Amino acid sequence: MIPVHTPDRPIRKAVESVIGQNAPGTDVVVVCHNTSPIAIQERLVGLDSERYSLLELQDGIPSPAGPLNLGVESATSDYVTVLGSDDVYEPHVFDFWRKELASSSPELLVGQFKVEGVGRVLAPAPRVGRFRRLDAAKDLLYTRTPQLAVLFHSDLVRHQDYPGFMPAARNGEDIALSAFLWSVSSSTSYSRCSDGFLVGISANDRVTAAPFSVAELLAPVLFTLEQPWIASLERSQRVALALKLTTNHVLSTLRSRERSAAISEDDLPHYRDVLTRLERLSPGYGGRLTRRDNGLVSAILQGHTDRLLEWLEDSRPLARYRPQQLRYVFSPSGVLRRAVRLALVPRLLRPAVPAAAKEHA
């Protein structure tokens, strides 16, 4: 499913990266969001029109959530996944994934996530050698937020607690959805394919390019914490989710605003509210945070704004990497075990097409 909001995006390249593969039964739904489907169709002339369809959504809302939800809900296949209009799937990956799905029928299949000019992003970072029956906490599933290169079964979309993409959100629309999928899935597999999804970073006309207020940045976190399935999470899941939301979606916004000298006293109550709720979700989880992150959380909750700036400027390695409580040094989310996974897991993957086959071709 590919949402697109302007014909200026390389939509043809995105669609072709899917239907150009030898993967019978893999089709594309393109959602034309606040743009003319005629203009989009012109970009796709010459492609196999039986392999893609166009939907139109004219809601006037500058949010990717609307077209994403429409596309997913309109899908008729057993599995669905999302593709950005300036992103592509690498050659032959769908054939590889199709065979993996046929062999074990997982509710979720996690593919490789790569960024243009950067390379592979190992998120999640599963245990070395673990490819099936992944555990949300032990295999760090919550560290992957974008549902790019993640194939999820239609049964999950029909689940009574399925949140979808956060309606009208200009940012973080996928935070609650990703947390739901990792938490609720009864069977999650990690693809053995080293090829996968390539994110384009050259686009300068994104639908959500305008700046955000702190309240808007933190709204998806609050939306996630208000989901009904949160109450049934196991303790390990609560800890893992609290760590991910705090590190990736609360403190990251604080650091970015500090770099732009945009922290305001009016912002702090918003941070305090969401961090208080996270502490209720997982009491004591702060001991697993790094010393710097735990210091930031404590400074906000206790109202020590002077300490807040000190922790933001602290670049000491021990502050940035050592957990607040040393007993968590070897926890799955700790830097040591993650470093081992980052080094070893990629070595166990194999390309969609073996090197010998490529040479023969």
Side-chain angles (χ1 to χ4, degrees), residues 317-344:
L318 282 178
R320 294 180 61 189
Y321 300 112
R322 204 205 84 171
Q324 177 65 24
Q325 296 182 17
L326 277 175
R327 61 190 173 121
Y328 295 123
V329 167
F330 296 103
S331 69
S333 60
V335 65
L336 294 179
R337 289 179 69 176
R338 291 190 68 168
V340 171
R341 298 181 186 189
L342 289 171
L344 298 182

Side-chain angles (χ1 to χ4, degrees), residues 16-33:
E16 203 165 18
S17 76
V18 179
I19 66 176
Q21 301 198 27
N22 179 29
T26 304
D27 299 319
V28 178
V29 175
V30 178
V31 182
C32 307
H33 184 215

Side-chain angles (χ1 to χ4, degrees), residues 270-327:
H270 295 292
Y271 285 110
R272 190 173 299 118
D273 176 40
V274 71
L275 288 172
T276 298
R277 298 191 191 201
L278 285 165
E279 178 62 26
R280 286 203 295 266
L281 171 68
S282 179
Y285 80 96
R288 300 171 186 261
L289 293 170
T290 66
R291 293 189 64 190
R292 183 173 68 171
D293 286 353
N294 184 74
L296 288 170
V297 170
S298 298
I300 292 171
L301 293 177
Q302 296 170 15
H304 296 161
T305 55
D306 54 333
R307 292 290 294 155
L308 178 64
L309 294 177
E310 289 179 17
W311 282 113
L312 282 170
E313 295 171 356
D314 194 335
S315 60
R316 294 174 299 168
L318 282 178
R320 294 180 61 189
Y321 300 112
R322 204 205 84 171
Q324 177 65 24
Q325 296 182 17
L326 277 175
R327 61 190 173 121

Side-chain angles (χ1 to χ4, degrees), residues 130-175:
R130 173 72 66 161
F131 293 97
R132 293 185 182 182
R133 298 184 299 277
L134 268 60
D135 180 273
K138 294 177 181 178
D139 295 301
L140 305 181
L141 298 185
Y142 293 113
T143 59
R144 167 83 73 87
T145 297
Q147 293 309 299
L148 308 172
V150 175
L151 289 77
F152 50 99
H153 198 278
S154 57
D155 286 349
L156 290 169
V157 179
R158 293 191 292 266
H159 192 285
Q160 63 179 0
D161 291 333
Y162 176 75
F165 294 89
M166 181 179 172
R170 292 196 303 147
N171 72 286
E173 71 283 344
D174 52 1
I175 294 175

Side-chain angles (χ1 to χ4, degrees), residues 61 63-66 68-69 162-177 215-224 226-227:
I61 301 175
S63 165
L68 287 168
N69 283 325
Y162 176 75
F165 294 89
M166 181 179 172
R170 292 196 303 147
N171 72 286
E173 71 283 344
D174 52 1
I175 294 175
L177 174 58
E216 193 170 10
L217 286 170
L218 298 181
V221 178
L222 296 176
F223 179 72
T224 302
E226 292 166 356
Q227 296 301 308

Side-chain angles (χ1 to χ4, degrees), residues 35-345:
T35 191
S36 168
I38 297 176
I40 299 301
Q41 177 64 63
E42 291 175 350
R43 299 295 192 274
L44 304 178
V45 170
L47 299 183
D48 185 354
S49 60
E50 294 186 359
R51 296 287 307 281
Y52 70 86
S53 59
L54 301 183
L55 297 179
E56 182 179 6
L57 176 63
Q58 301 288 344
D59 62 2
I61 301 175
S63 165
L68 287 168
N69 283 325
L70 176 61
V72 170
E73 292 164 6
S74 301
T76 58
S77 58
D78 289 337
Y79 289 90
V80 63
T81 188
V82 176
L83 179 66
S85 57
D86 57 338
D87 308 326
V88 297
Y89 281 104
E90 294 182 301
H92 307 290
V93 295
F94 277 101
D95 187 47
F96 196 110
W97 290 343
R98 183 170 57 84
K99 294 174 182 176
E100 289 184 309
L101 292 173
S103 68
S104 60
S105 301
E107 285 194 320
L108 290 176
L109 178 65
V110 185
Q112 293 302 304
F113 181 81
K114 304 179 183 180
V115 178
E116 180 184 8
V118 176
R120 178 182 291 108
V121 178
L122 193 62
R127 287 165 287 178
V128 178
R130 173 72 66 161
F131 293 97
R132 293 185 182 182
R133 298 184 299 277
L134 268 60
D135 180 273
K138 294 177 181 178
D139 295 301
L140 305 181
L141 298 185
Y142 293 113
T143 59
R144 167 83 73 87
T145 297
Q147 293 309 299
L148 308 172
V150 175
L151 289 77
F152 50 99
H153 198 278
S154 57
D155 286 349
L156 290 169
V157 179
R158 293 191 292 266
H159 192 285
Q160 63 179 0
D161 291 333
Y162 176 75
F165 294 89
M166 181 179 172
R170 292 196 303 147
N171 72 286
E173 71 283 344
D174 52 1
I175 294 175
L177 174 58
S178 66
F180 164 82
L181 293 175
W182 303 135
S183 301
V184 174
S185 171
S186 61
S187 57
T188 300
S189 294
Y190 188 79
S191 175
R192 294 174 181 267
C193 186
S194 60
D195 298 306
F197 180 97
L198 182 61
V199 180
I201 60 175
S202 57
N204 56 10
D205 59 345
R206 294 192 178 274
V207 67
T208 52
F212 306 110
S213 66
V214 166
E216 193 170 10
L217 286 170
L218 298 181
V221 178
L222 296 176
F223 179 72
T224 302
L225 294 175
E226 292 166 356
Q227 296 301 308
W229 47 267
I230 288 285
S232 61
L233 292 182
E234 298 176 359
R235 180 179 179 277
S236 62
Q237 293 176 313
R238 289 170 177 262
V239 172
L241 181 57
L243 287 171
K244 177 266 195 328
L245 293 175
T246 299
T247 303
N248 292 18
H249 304 297
V250 179
L251 299 184
S252 62
T253 68
L254 190 67
R255 296 191 192 96
S256 65
R257 298 181 85 80
E258 186 270 338
R259 285 194 293 269
S260 62
I263 295 179
S264 164
E265 286 286 342
D266 295 335
D267 296 336
L268 296 181
H270 295 292
Y271 285 110
R272 190 173 299 118
D273 176 40
V274 71
L275 288 172
T276 298
R277 298 191 191 201
L278 285 165
E279 178 62 26
R280 286 203 295 266
L281 171 68
S282 179
Y285 80 96
R288 300 171 186 261
L289 293 170
T290 66
R291 293 189 64 190
R292 183 173 68 171
D293 286 353
N294 184 74
L296 288 170
V297 170
S298 298
I300 292 171
L301 293 177
Q302 296 170 15
H304 296 161
T305 55
D306 54 333
R307 292 290 294 155
L308 178 64
L309 294 177
E310 289 179 17
W311 282 113
L312 282 170
E313 295 171 356
D314 194 335
S315 60
R316 294 174 299 168
L318 282 178
R320 294 180 61 189
Y321 300 112
R322 204 205 84 171
Q324 177 65 24
Q325 296 182 17
L326 277 175
R327 61 190 173 121
Y328 295 123
V329 167
F330 296 103
S331 69
S333 60
V335 65
L336 294 179
R337 289 179 69 176
R338 291 190 68 168
V340 171
R341 298 181 186 189
L342 289 171
L344 298 182
V345 170

